Amino acid sequence: MIRVTDRLVIPGREIEETFMTASGPGGQNVNKVSTAVELRFQARESTVLTPAQKDRLRRLAGSRWTTDGIIVLRADRERLQSANRRIVRSRLAELVRKALIAPKRRIPTRPTPGSRIRRLDAKARRGRLKSLRRRPETGE
């Protein structure tokens, strides 16, 4: 299980971890020890998230969200399996934590009369400046 917040815990049955050999540093053990971790979270089938949270999670996950609704995260930065496991679990927790926050509804506002006047004055000033750059007209 992964603790996301004080009240939200992802149960272990919704998570699957696989271990494989990692690329990169590792010395003698690089081809012998499975230190890389791939975590798969059954997000679409999750019982702890609401449909709105799942939708936000899908958008946040991007290409890590598969067509089956599974989030796939991978860590192979560290030489220890336990460290990579900790990293990938914290990444998932952070992703889910972000999805729990509902975005604030934008309340459309109208420009103030003063800001309209300032905008039109700036446009007029800019137009006058540009007109001064033109080639003078000959009175022939």
Side-chain angles (χ1 to χ4, degrees):
M1 71 176 201
I2 298 175
R3 183 168 296 282
V4 179
T5 64
D6 292 337
R7 288 190 266 151
L8 183 77
V9 176
I10 298 172
R13 67 180 178 277
E14 294 179 2
I15 297 166
E16 180 188 323
E17 289 176 327
T18 51
F19 306 100
M20 66 227 41
T21 55
S23 61
Q28 296 172 339
N29 291 330
V30 73
N31 295 320
K32 294 188 291 185
V33 182
S34 298
T35 55
V37 180
E38 184 179 84
L39 183 139
R40 294 172 157 276
F41 171 51
Q42 307 281 336
R44 188 183 293 152
E45 306 301 321
S46 179
T47 56
V48 293
L49 299 174
T50 65
Q53 291 168 341
K54 289 177 188 178
D55 190 47
R56 285 194 296 271
L57 185 59
R58 184 181 52 78
R59 276 187 267 118
L60 284 169
S63 62
R64 295 172 291 192
W65 182 282
T66 67
T67 53
D68 301 328
I70 298 170
I71 293 179
V72 180
L73 299 172
R74 185 183 158 103
D76 63 353
R77 195 173 42 197
E78 301 297 325
R79 290 184 181 200
L80 294 173
Q81 187 184 82
S82 59
N84 283 326
R85 201 166 173 221
R86 216 175 7 261
I87 289 168
V88 81
R89 284 169 166 253
S90 67
R91 277 192 210 154
L92 177 65
E94 186 58 35
L95 198 63
V96 173
R97 216 173 283 123
K98 285 180 183 175
L100 295 178
I101 302 167
K104 291 182 182 173
R105 229 173 67 87
R106 184 189 175 277
I107 300 167
T109 58
R110 299 177 75 182
T112 63
S115 68
R116 283 187 186 154
I117 291 167
R118 284 191 298 275
R119 182 178 63 86
L120 294 174
D121 285 347
K123 284 170 69 82
R125 223 176 302 121
R126 197 87 192 130
R128 282 194 299 275
L129 180 71
K130 287 186 174 192
S131 68
L132 292 173
R133 293 182 192 153
R134 290 190 195 132
R135 185 171 288 170
E137 292 181 20
T138 55
E140 296 169 20

